[in-house]
Amino acid sequence: AQTVTQSQPEMSVQEAETVTLSCTYDTSESDYYLFWYKQPPSRQMILVIRQEAYKQQNATENRFSVNFQKAAKSFSLKISDSQLGDAAMYFCAYIKNAGNMLTFGGGTRLMVKP
Amino acid sequence: DAGVTQSPTHLIKTRGQQVTLRCSPKSGHDTVSWYQQALGQGPQFIFQYYEEEERQRGNFPDRFSGHQFPNYSSELNVNALLLGDSALYLCASSLRSRVKTQYFGPGTRLLVL
């Protein structure tokens, strides 16, 4: 069974600074997808960024980028120029190409200090 | 472009009762997945519907059942409610041809007393 681990229950960053959230996963599959979702207090899960395992290039979406290390099964999220609106729970998620089920990590609560 | 919608937003039930939650997928999407998120945890997959059939099921008992309608909307039914069923229930929609990217609704908060 696939597992996703987020080892940082909470992280804090100063506004305008950069923060990196960690995620590791365990799978025997070679073809899969990884995601970062943001869940603010409004509780709606918002897709932040997506990475296909077959792509070597790290995905980037504006201030959000990932460091995908396939051999190490590591998928970290870097948030640059942090904003107050970035404060939320962040979840790392995995899905195998042949499956339908997202497997989530336990989440990291990000606090942004003004 | 309407996103995923869910109703109701909040619900309070007592043990042993039955509940029905509803989800309308994002415009153009044909696949609906349901997740249960307990407080302080990541979501857990319940099941996925496509073409009005359950395609995959997570580790949830038969008390949890679902349905998908011809317009792609979906219902989640939970029978014989337990206190442990109290959670946020999230619906996610996707396009079968791009099923790997799922978009979530705002969720329904269920409290079982």
Side-chain angles (χ1 to χ4, degrees):
Chain A
Q2 291 80 24
T3 58
V4 178
T5 302
Q6 294 179 248
S7 59
Q8 306 153 316
E10 281 192 2
M11 290 285 285
S12 180
V13 64
Q14 206 71 34
E15 196 175 6
E17 300 278 299
T18 296
V19 65
T20 299
L21 308 184
S22 301
C23 171
T24 57
Y25 57 95
D26 185 26
T27 183
S28 57
E29 303 285 330
S30 59
D31 194 7
Y32 51 87
Y33 297 77
L34 296 163
F35 304 88
W36 279 98
Y37 284 91
K38 168 186 176 182
Q39 189 176 40
S42 66
R43 77 192 188 203
Q44 177 144 13
M45 197 77 74
I46 301 165
L47 177 66
V48 174
I49 200 165
R50 152 192 162 129
Q51 174 79 44
E52 294 90 340
Y54 64 84
K55 289 187 177 179
Q56 292 187 347
Q57 186 173 6
N58 289 323
T60 300
E61 287 286 343
N62 301 314
R63 298 182 295 109
F64 299 88
S65 61
V66 299
N67 183 5
F68 173 49
Q69 301 289 327
K70 191 171 184 179
K73 297 181 182 176
S74 169
F75 183 60
S76 61
L77 174 69
K78 185 172 84 170
I79 306 174
S80 303
D81 186 25
S82 296
Q83 300 175 359
L84 295 177
D86 294 333
M89 284 292 291
Y90 285 81
F91 290 96
C92 177
Y94 161 100
I95 189 168
K96 63 182 181 181
N97 190 40
N100 305 311
M101 173 181 81
L102 278 169
T103 299
F104 285 85
T108 296
R109 180 175 302 282
L110 177 66
M111 295 173 286
V112 181
K113 297 178 180 178
Chain B
D1 181 18
V4 181
T5 60
Q6 292 187 243
S7 62
T9 55
H10 295 85
L11 206 50
I12 299 175
K13 293 286 187 179
T14 56
R15 280 180 299 174
Q17 285 189 313
Q18 179 264 344
V19 68
T20 297
L21 310 181
R22 294 176 177 82
C23 171
S24 290
K26 182 178 169 69
S27 179
H29 285 185
D30 55 9
T31 302
V32 173
S33 304
W34 286 93
Y35 293 81
Q36 180 195 67
Q37 186 179 19
L39 200 60
Q41 297 183 20
Q44 298 286 321
F45 177 78
I46 303 175
F47 41 54
Q48 183 181 89
Y49 277 83
Y50 170 67
E51 289 187 331
E52 302 178 48
E53 289 189 16
E54 184 180 294
R55 297 295 174 169
Q56 187 172 352
R57 187 179 186 91
N59 189 25
F60 280 80
D62 291 345
R63 298 187 297 108
F64 290 76
S65 62
H67 188 77
Q68 186 180 34
F69 299 93
N71 67 352
Y72 308 120
S73 66
S74 177
E75 288 182 349
L76 164 65
N77 300 292
V78 187
N79 295 321
L81 284 167
L82 304 174
L83 296 180
D85 294 332
S86 295
L88 179 67
Y89 288 85
L90 295 166
C91 169
S93 76
S94 52
L95 187 59
R96 191 67 177 175
S97 59
R98 294 202 71 196
V99 70
K100 306 315 164 190
T101 302
Q102 299 184 12
Y103 297 87
F104 286 81
T108 294
R109 173 74 67 189
L110 172 65
L111 178 60
V112 182
L113 301 175

